[in-house]
């Protein structure tokens, strides 16, 4: 199915061939506009959309009328945060989130500040988890929205969403969760989690890019729309629906629901094999973030005594993401690793592994051997450079 090694399933995933097959007819023979109710082609497309909505809703314990289709989690986060802030601004203007959130949450919150909103960005503990007492202390009478992600996209740590949901909703504050890395990977239930709004995206769970959704608990927490027009999606997001992508998203959700339990056991074992192999081969390895509260597919480590800028190109061939300036295209080390208190040199010399549906034991053993070889070589080079010069 793929030719190059790939261990970056947090960045995106290939579309499952079964989802591709389900999508195909909706590009051509079954091309109708799901909003055209006056003829068979439109009704056929609408039926396909509603079937997909059911499949996706079932995966998170929701019902289909609670899902709003968007272009992805970035848009869902914008709709949830901006839409709620403006819907509630007469009640209060305080928003609470975490320093380790995805940029699409942090930047959306920052964009609200010039409009009179106040944003509290809570720190996390050195294991990456938010302290519940710290969160509780941050809430005040002016708080209208709390946004906390379920699973972190860099270090894979799982926040205590159900406990946060209980605490936040008891105060009548809207609770939004970015669950982009969690849905399809761990069991998610919107009722047990107590979320009012939840974002996720198809391309992180073996569906196509450019389609996502916002779960909106019915009733009192409707956000104001950002995109106006034909009144699609109950007026919350206008624009002709991307029917083939929605069908692929639905199929991907149905497959995930069926395979989640077995896949998570298989990938946890592979991830643990990866950690054991790396620990044996590379001395002084630092694991970033809690190991016990973590996605099965994630491992994030830092290696001491190695320059991050040399590490990144040397690891190119195994398809991982690294924390160095070169590979991520920014000069700043990861804001997530910084929040954990990881020193900048170690944050740059970090490696994020994201395992997925097509990862094999052979891929893992290959990655262990390659990383061990690269780190040993780079450390030797470093030692030579630092050795006192003899004349
Ligand atoms: C990928 C990701 C997003 C953005 O999703 P898009 O569909 O690419 O816009 C948002 N939040 C998290 C946690 C992600 O991992």
């Amino acid at each position: 199915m793929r030719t190059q090694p790939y261990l970056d399933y947090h960045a995106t995933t290939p579309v499952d061939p079964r989802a591709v097959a389900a999508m195909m007819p909706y590009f051509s023979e079954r091309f109708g506009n799901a909003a055209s109710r006056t003829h068979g082609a439109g009704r056929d497309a609408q039926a396909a959309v509603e079937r997909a909505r059911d499949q996706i809703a079932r995966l998170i314990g929701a019902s289909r009328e609670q899902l709003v289709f968007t272009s992805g989690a970035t848009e869902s986060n914008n709709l949830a945060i901006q839409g709620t802030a403006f819907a509630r601004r007469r009640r209060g203007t305080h928003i609470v989130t975490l320093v380790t959130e995805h940029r699409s949450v942090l930047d959306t919150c920052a964009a609200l500040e010039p409009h009179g909103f106040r944003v509290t960005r809570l720190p996390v503990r050195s294991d990456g988890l938010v302290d519940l007492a710290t969160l509780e202390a941050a809430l005040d009478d002016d708080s209208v929205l709390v946004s906390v992600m379920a699973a972190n996209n860099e270090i894979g740590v799982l926040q205590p969403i159900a406990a946060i949901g209980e605490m936040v909703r008891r105060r009548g504050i809207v609770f939004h969760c970015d669950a982009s890395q969690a849905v399809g990977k761990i069991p998610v239930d919107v009722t047990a989690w107590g979320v009012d709004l939840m974002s996720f995206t198809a391309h992180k769970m073996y569906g196509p890019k450019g389609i996502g959704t916002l779960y909106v608990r019915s009733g009192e927490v409707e956000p104001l729309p950002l995109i106006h027009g034909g009144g699609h999606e109950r007026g919350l997001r206008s624009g002709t629906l991307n029917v083939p992508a929605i069908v692929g998203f639905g199929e991907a959700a149905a497959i995930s629901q069926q395979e989640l339990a077995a896949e998570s056991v298989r990938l946890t074992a592979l991830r643990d094999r990866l950690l054991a192999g790396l620990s044996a081969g590379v001395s002084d390895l630092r694991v970033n973030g809690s190991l016990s509260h973590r996605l099965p597919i994630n491992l994030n480590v830092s290696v001491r005594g190695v320059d991050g800028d040399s590490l990144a190109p040397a690891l190119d061939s195994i398809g991982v993401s690294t924390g160095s300036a070169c590979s991520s295209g920014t000069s700043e080390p990861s804001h997530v690793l910084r929040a954990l208190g990881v020193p900048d040199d170690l944050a740059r010399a970090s490696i994020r592994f994201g395992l997925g549906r097509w990862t094999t034991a052979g891929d893992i053993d290959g990655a262990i051997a390659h990383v061990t070889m690269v780190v040993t070589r780079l450390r030797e080079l470093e030692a030579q450079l630092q050795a006192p010069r003899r004349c």
Side-chain angles (χ1 to χ4, degrees):
M1 141 123 213
R2 79 205 134 76
T3 49
Q4 291 191 320
Y6 184 78
L7 287 170
D8 200 14
Y9 281 83
H10 292 291
T12 194
T13 62
V15 185
D16 192 295
R18 293 166 285 183
V20 175
M23 292 169 73
M24 289 312 280
Y26 293 93
F27 287 105
S28 42
E29 310 97 77
R30 310 177 77 169
F31 60 87
N33 184 326
S36 306
R37 312 274 157 87
T38 56
H39 50 64
R43 285 191 299 271
D44 178 51
Q46 193 205 2
V49 165
E50 294 316 310
R51 191 180 116 81
R53 217 189 284 274
D54 260 336
Q55 291 171 311
I56 300 161
R58 216 171 294 136
L59 180 62
I60 59 164
S63 54
R64 72 177 136 141
E65 65 282 358
Q66 296 176 308
L67 297 184
V68 176
F69 285 118
T70 65
S71 63
T74 298
E75 187 188 329
S76 298
N77 287 340
N78 272 267
L79 174 58
I81 295 167
Q82 294 192 57
T84 301
F86 285 111
R88 298 222 145 188
R89 73 184 314 172
R90 268 192 223 91
R91 234 192 258 202
T93 55
H94 182 220
I95 300 167
V96 176
T97 188
L98 304 187
V99 286
T100 52
E101 292 292 313
H102 190 264
R103 286 252 77 93
S104 57
V105 166
L106 292 174
D107 291 357
T108 302
C109 289
L112 286 167
E113 286 176 310
H115 297 278
F117 294 94
R118 191 162 53 88
V119 180
T120 300
R121 299 160 181 89
L122 296 174
V124 294
R125 305 186 312 216
S126 61
D127 65 359
L129 300 187
V130 66
D131 178 62
L132 288 175
T134 307
L135 175 59
E136 185 154 39
L139 304 175
D140 59 36
D141 291 343
D142 192 42
S143 305
V144 283
L145 173 68
V146 170
S147 181
V148 175
M149 73 199 322
N152 187 273
N153 47 296
E154 291 185 32
I155 54 175
V157 300
L158 305 174
Q159 299 293 348
I161 295 301
I164 297 171
E166 221 257 301
M167 175 189 294
V168 169
R169 293 185 68 225
R170 187 160 19 98
R171 290 171 168 74
I173 300 169
V174 174
F175 181 35
H176 167 248
C177 177
D178 177 354
S180 304
Q181 295 284 347
V183 174
K185 315 289 165 53
I186 57 169
V188 173
D189 185 290
V190 288
T191 308
W193 279 12
V195 292
D196 295 304
L197 302 163
M198 191 174 85
S199 308
F200 55 107
T201 185
H203 78 97
K204 303 285 174 72
M205 46 179 279
Y206 312 102
K209 293 170 180 61
I211 187 74
T213 187
L214 181 67
Y215 158 82
V216 181
R217 185 184 296 282
S218 330
E220 74 272 38
V221 294
E222 295 261 299
L224 290 177
L226 305 180
I227 297 176
H228 305 272
H232 308 74
E233 301 297 275
R234 294 189 287 115
L236 283 172
R237 205 281 194 174
S238 288
T240 300
L241 290 175
N242 184 347
V243 179
I246 290 169
V247 168
F249 191 4
E251 193 59 28
I255 296 167
S256 284
Q257 181 152 30
Q258 228 159 48
E259 303 188 353
L260 189 149
E263 195 162 56
S264 120
V265 170
R266 189 184 79 88
L267 292 173
T268 302
L270 285 182
R271 192 270 312 279
D272 293 348
R273 177 186 183 120
L274 176 63
L275 176 57
L278 289 176
S279 305
V282 177
S283 59
D284 218 359
L285 192 79
R286 180 200 158 109
V287 175
N288 297 314
S290 165
L291 261 181
S292 52
H293 297 88
R294 197 181 196 96
L295 285 173
I297 68 165
N298 176 277
L299 185 65
N300 188 310
V301 296
S302 285
V303 283
R304 260 176 246 279
V306 166
D307 174 33
D309 290 341
S310 319
L311 189 63
L315 295 182
D316 206 54
S317 64
I318 56 169
V320 291
S321 166
T322 59
S324 91
C326 286
S327 69
S328 53
T330 61
S331 53
E332 290 287 289
S334 148
H335 71 284
V336 174
L337 297 182
R338 266 194 169 159
L340 266 54
V342 179
D344 285 358
D345 57 331
L346 277 179
R348 286 212 177 79
S350 66
I351 313 169
R352 176 184 73 177
F353 299 90
L355 284 57
R357 194 165 284 164
W358 290 279
T359 304
T360 64
D363 295 335
I364 295 301
D365 294 344
I368 294 168
H370 188 76
V371 172
T372 302
M373 184 270 288
V374 162
V375 172
T376 306
R377 208 184 58 208
L378 290 176
R379 279 178 176 169
E380 277 166 14
L381 273 175
E382 199 80 12
Q384 276 168 20
L385 287 171
Q386 313 236 308
R389 235 179 267 174
R390 266 170 278 177
C391 30

